[in-house]
């Protein structure tokens, strides 16, 4: 089964804030697949009960603390559940982390996703294989111990930008609108011949 694997680095203003999150993430191993305990863990993080099935199909772990105020951890899961788990945890972490750098591999398509959140908001998202200018550097970063440093540098240089045609807001605007569908329906009606049953069903 194809998986998505996110490596996440978070930075905090204080060691206390960092250690509180590290402690909560470290408890996942003990509650994994144990429904009552997992529900309590989710509630502690402020995550709704509806997310239970998502977290039962993912792994959150490999938590390590670094320096004075940062930590790293991994999220592994099926493509759908893995992305949802990452999104939910990112929303939670944005409440206390000053910066979150996510480096994900989508095995289904063999491409990478890099996302940056700063001061409570996601400020950059980049996917390889869609025509952006950072693909080669991100492919190289995948096997590097400095992947987070590389991603931060690309972010600071304003290079983590997707091509304009892949913007979520504009992706379909130029392709379809209601008038297009009305025109197609009118054209179909012109070619229907009530006396010719074969042409009717083409």
């Amino acid at each position: 089964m194809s998986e998505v694997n996110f490596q996440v680095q978070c930075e905090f203003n204080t060691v206390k804030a960092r250690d509180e999150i590290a402690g909560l993430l470290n408890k996942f191993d003990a509650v994994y697949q144990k429904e009552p305990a997992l529900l309590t863990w989710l509630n502690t993080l402020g995550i709704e009960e509806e997310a239970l099935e998502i977290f039962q199909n993912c792994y959150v772990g490999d938590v390590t603390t670094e320096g004075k105020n940062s930590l790293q951890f991994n999220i592994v899961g099926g493509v759908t559940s893995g992305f949802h788990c990452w999104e939910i945890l990112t929303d939670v972490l944005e409440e206390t982390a000053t910066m979150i750098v996510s480096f994900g591999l989508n095995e289904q398509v063999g491409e990478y996703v890099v996302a940056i959140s700063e001061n409570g908001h996601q400020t950059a998202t980049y996917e390889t294989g869609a025509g952006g200018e950072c693909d080669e550097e991100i492919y190289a970063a995948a096997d590097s111990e400095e992947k987070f440093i590389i991603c931060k540098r690309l972010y600071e240089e304003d290079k983590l930008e997707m091509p304009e045609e892949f913007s979520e807001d504009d992706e379909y605007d130029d392709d379809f609108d209601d008038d297009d569908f009305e025109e197609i329906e009118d054209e179909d009606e012109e070619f229907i011949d009530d006396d010719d049953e074969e042409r009717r069903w083409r």
Side-chain angles (χ1 to χ4, degrees):
M1 184 183 79
S2 295
E3 291 183 333
V4 61
N5 183 335
F6 277 99
Q7 298 175 63
V8 184
Q9 183 188 70
C10 305
E11 297 178 1
F12 299 85
N13 277 329
T14 66
V15 174
K16 180 181 178 182
R18 188 273 312 271
D19 288 348
E20 285 179 357
I21 293 296
L24 287 170
L25 294 176
N26 270 319
K27 290 180 180 178
F28 185 84
D29 273 330
V31 303
Y32 181 53
Q33 293 290 349
K34 300 174 183 176
E35 187 167 315
L38 183 53
L39 276 174
T40 300
W41 184 83
L42 292 172
N43 290 336
T44 303
L45 284 166
I47 299 171
E48 299 294 329
E49 182 177 337
E50 287 76 11
L52 175 65
E53 186 175 351
I54 292 170
F55 281 83
Q56 285 178 323
N57 288 292
C58 293
Y59 171 76
V60 178
D62 300 324
V63 182
T64 58
T65 55
E66 307 176 305
K68 294 181 178 179
N69 62 350
S70 66
L71 67 83
Q72 293 183 16
F73 67 96
N74 288 357
I75 300 169
V76 181
V79 174
T80 301
S81 58
F83 270 105
H84 285 166
C85 181
W86 167 69
E87 289 171 350
I88 292 167
L89 280 180
T90 297
D91 286 345
V92 171
L93 293 170
E94 283 177 345
E95 296 177 10
T96 53
T98 56
M99 178 173 272
I100 305 169
V101 182
S102 300
F103 193 99
L105 169 63
N106 183 346
E107 291 183 354
Q108 190 173 57
V109 294
E111 299 294 349
Y112 295 93
V113 178
V114 174
I116 308 283
S117 292
E118 192 170 21
N119 297 321
H121 302 283
Q122 188 174 97
T123 51
T125 305
Y126 185 95
E127 298 181 30
T128 59
E133 297 181 358
C134 293
D135 285 18
E136 293 305 317
E137 289 177 273
I138 290 174
Y139 291 144
D143 295 322
S144 170
E145 294 182 359
E146 298 186 341
K147 61 170 58 69
F148 295 115
I149 294 173
I150 294 169
C151 291
K152 288 178 189 176
R153 174 180 59 77
L154 293 171
Y155 171 65
E156 290 166 0
E157 295 173 354
D158 291 325
K159 291 183 177 178
L160 291 179
E161 295 184 0
M162 297 301 293
E164 197 169 307
E165 59 265 32
F166 289 96
S167 164
E168 290 182 5
D169 295 333
D170 302 332
E171 188 173 358
Y172 300 107
D173 286 355
D174 295 331
D175 293 331
F176 303 110
D177 58 39
D178 292 338
D179 292 337
D180 291 336
F181 287 113
E182 289 174 6
E183 289 175 8
I184 291 170
E185 290 172 3
D186 292 341
E187 290 173 4
D188 288 344
E189 290 175 4
E190 290 177 8
F191 288 100
I192 292 176
D193 183 346
D194 289 338
D195 297 324
D196 188 340
E197 204 62 32
E198 181 179 351
R199 290 180 65 193
R200 176 187 293 276
W201 294 104
R202 277 184 182 174

